[in-house]
């Protein structure tokens, strides 16, 4: 995948600014007498509640010799202590009472720094910052650890309505399809109107909606409408992901939840309508057993597009 050079440079510039504003270029960090690596070591020891020097080196991405020297300095300063583990050959690092106070001060300093910056942003911008930073940080970690795909921390999938669902479903659709297909107000208003109408029918056992949330922000959705098609067929609707979650596997999880629900409800088939050219989504559909059953041009969304219908026959009627 080719990344625009302007986007890369924008992120690099922002990263350099953050490094400077957070104080990583200074000799000490977070109003302590310790370097950035020392501060991060204290935070990792607190989080691990007893880690070895080798584990610390791995989590910080530092050479063992560097960590050994840093650990010696922190022990001498009275911040940490070594305790024997079950394996006498291994010693675990723990905070002393002084170290716990130092870490508490570090947290207070960092929380105040972040809070002041976020107070200059509106709530939507605050959520975007949290999601973007979390996703990017774990993408960097993925590269370092050699994982197969980006790590997505704090991401949960849940069923049912939650506050803000209708607006976020409409917003994610509008954002994506305005770029992909040139859709505008007609499309967004229809998505919002039909989603709102569907939410009013969630009390029916044949209807359900699932959302993916990252740090409490909705970043994906999918729904099964068991009423509007009739003939014991389910309508899969509003399958959308926030740009920051594409390629993370969350789309597959959402689709699996919807398909499993349909099988449990005993629907004879699942129908969905989409647009030609959405190749990543099509691969997900086909992997889940959907087949292309119809294709035609349409203009109901404000611009001419090729609409596609995919169908998945239920397992109990296949063959």
């Amino acid at each position: 995948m080719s990344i625009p050079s302007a986007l890369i440079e924008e992120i690099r510039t922002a990263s350099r600014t953050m490094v400077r504003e957070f104080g990583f270029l200074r000799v000490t960090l977070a109003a302590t007498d310790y370097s950035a690596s020392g501060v991060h070591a204290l935070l990792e020891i607190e989080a691990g509640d007893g880690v070895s020097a080798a584990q610390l080196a791995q989590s910080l991405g530092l050479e063992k010799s560097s960590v050994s020297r840093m650990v010696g300095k922190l022990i001498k300063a009275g911040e940490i202590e070594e305790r024997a583990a079950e394996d006498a050959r291994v010693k675990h690092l723990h905070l002393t009472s002084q170290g716990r106070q130092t870490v508490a001060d570090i947290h207070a300093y960092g929380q105040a720094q972040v809070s002041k910056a976020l107070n200059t942003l509106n709530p939507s911008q605050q959520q975007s910052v949290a999601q973007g930073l979390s996703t990017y940080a774990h993408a960097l970690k993925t590269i370092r650890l050699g994982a197969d795909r980006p790590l997505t921390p704090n991401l949960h999938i849940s069923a049912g309505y939650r506050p803000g669902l209708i607006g976020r479903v409409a917003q994610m659709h509008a954002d994506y399809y305005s770029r992909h297909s040139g859709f505008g107000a007609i499309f967004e208003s229809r998505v919002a109107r039909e989603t709102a109408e569907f939410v009013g029918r969630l009390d029916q056992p044949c209807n359900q909606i699932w959302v993916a949330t990252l740090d409490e922000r909705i970043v994906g959705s999918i729904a099964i409408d068991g009423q509007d098609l009739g003939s014991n067929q389910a309508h899969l609707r509003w399958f959308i992901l926030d740009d920051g979650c594409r390629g993370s596997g969350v789309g597959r999880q959402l689709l699996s939840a919807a398909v499993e629900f349909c099988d449990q409800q005993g629907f004879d088939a699942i129908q969905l309508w989409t647009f030609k050219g959405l190749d990543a989504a099509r691969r997900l559909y086909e992997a889940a057993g959907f087949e292309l059953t119809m294709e035609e041009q349409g203009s109901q969304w404000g611009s001419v597009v090729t609409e596609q219908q995919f169908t998945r026959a239920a397992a109990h009627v296949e063959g």
Side-chain angles (χ1 to χ4, degrees):
M1 179 174 56
S2 177
I3 308 296
S5 59
L7 178 61
I8 292 174
E9 291 308 313
E10 182 179 357
I11 293 174
R12 291 186 65 216
T13 298
S15 297
R16 289 194 296 271
T17 300
M18 290 175 62
V19 166
R20 294 165 186 166
E21 295 303 322
F22 278 128
F24 285 108
L25 298 183
R26 302 170 195 158
V27 176
T28 61
L29 184 69
T32 70
D33 295 328
Y34 306 116
S35 65
S37 58
V39 168
H40 280 254
L42 290 172
L43 294 173
E44 287 296 321
I45 293 171
E46 179 208 28
D49 190 26
V51 298
S52 67
Q55 291 171 326
L56 193 59
Q58 182 179 31
S59 61
L60 296 178
L62 297 174
E63 295 291 333
K64 291 182 180 180
S65 57
S66 298
V67 170
S68 179
R69 288 192 296 271
M70 178 175 56
V71 165
K73 292 178 181 178
L74 291 174
I75 291 175
K76 185 176 181 180
E79 303 286 1
I80 64 175
E81 61 184 3
E82 291 182 321
R83 300 178 192 169
E86 292 182 4
D87 184 344
R89 296 170 297 179
V90 179
K91 292 184 179 180
H92 283 172
L93 305 172
H94 295 264
L95 296 175
T96 63
S97 57
Q98 175 186 317
R100 286 192 292 273
Q101 182 59 55
T102 298
V103 168
D105 293 340
I106 291 171
H107 284 310
Y109 181 92
Q111 289 163 359
Q113 192 177 30
V114 172
S115 179
K116 288 177 183 178
L118 290 181
N119 278 330
T120 67
L121 308 175
N122 62 44
S124 179
Q125 290 173 321
Q126 292 171 2
Q127 292 289 344
S128 295
V129 167
Q131 180 187 344
L133 281 176
S134 179
T135 303
Y136 183 53
H138 281 76
L140 292 172
K141 188 174 181 180
T142 297
I143 295 171
R144 180 169 68 85
L145 298 179
D148 292 334
R149 62 188 184 191
L151 307 173
T152 50
N154 305 321
L155 194 149
H156 302 282
I157 293 177
S158 57
Y161 171 80
R162 61 184 297 137
L165 182 150
I166 297 170
R168 272 296 285 160
V169 168
Q171 180 187 11
M172 288 187 293
H173 277 78
D175 287 344
Y176 181 75
Y177 286 101
S178 64
R179 298 193 308 271
H180 184 272
S181 306
F183 294 167
I186 294 174
F187 176 74
E188 182 176 358
S189 61
R190 181 167 172 178
V191 170
R193 182 175 65 253
E194 294 185 0
T195 305
E197 186 275 332
F198 172 75
V199 166
R201 296 189 279 112
L202 282 176
D203 60 333
Q204 300 299 310
C206 60
N207 300 327
Q208 189 56 276
I209 191 166
W210 296 260
V211 295
T213 55
L214 182 61
D215 295 324
E216 297 302 315
R217 183 172 188 247
I218 296 175
V219 295
S221 68
I222 195 169
I224 292 295
D225 188 334
Q227 292 179 291
D228 66 334
L229 296 182
S231 301
N232 199 38
Q233 296 191 63
H235 187 183
L236 190 151
R237 312 180 73 179
W238 305 301
F239 185 25
I240 191 73
L241 296 177
D242 187 271
D243 285 346
C245 288
R246 298 183 188 280
S248 67
V250 65
R252 185 175 291 101
Q253 295 178 57
L254 284 169
L255 184 58
S256 294
V259 168
E260 182 179 355
F261 173 81
C262 290
D263 288 342
Q264 291 173 347
Q265 291 290 317
F267 288 109
D268 291 334
I270 311 171
Q271 307 280 357
L272 68 86
W273 281 262
T274 185
F275 306 105
K276 187 174 182 178
L278 305 180
D279 296 333
R282 178 169 181 168
R283 286 193 292 271
L284 282 179
Y285 297 142
E286 291 177 337
F290 286 85
E291 296 180 353
L292 180 64
T293 50
M294 187 177 68
E295 186 173 275
E296 62 183 13
Q297 283 196 328
S299 58
Q300 61 175 319
W301 306 105
S303 61
V304 177
V305 293
T306 300
E307 299 184 23
Q308 295 178 322
Q309 180 191 59
F310 283 82
T311 303
R312 176 188 183 272
H316 69 278
V317 297
E318 288 180 347

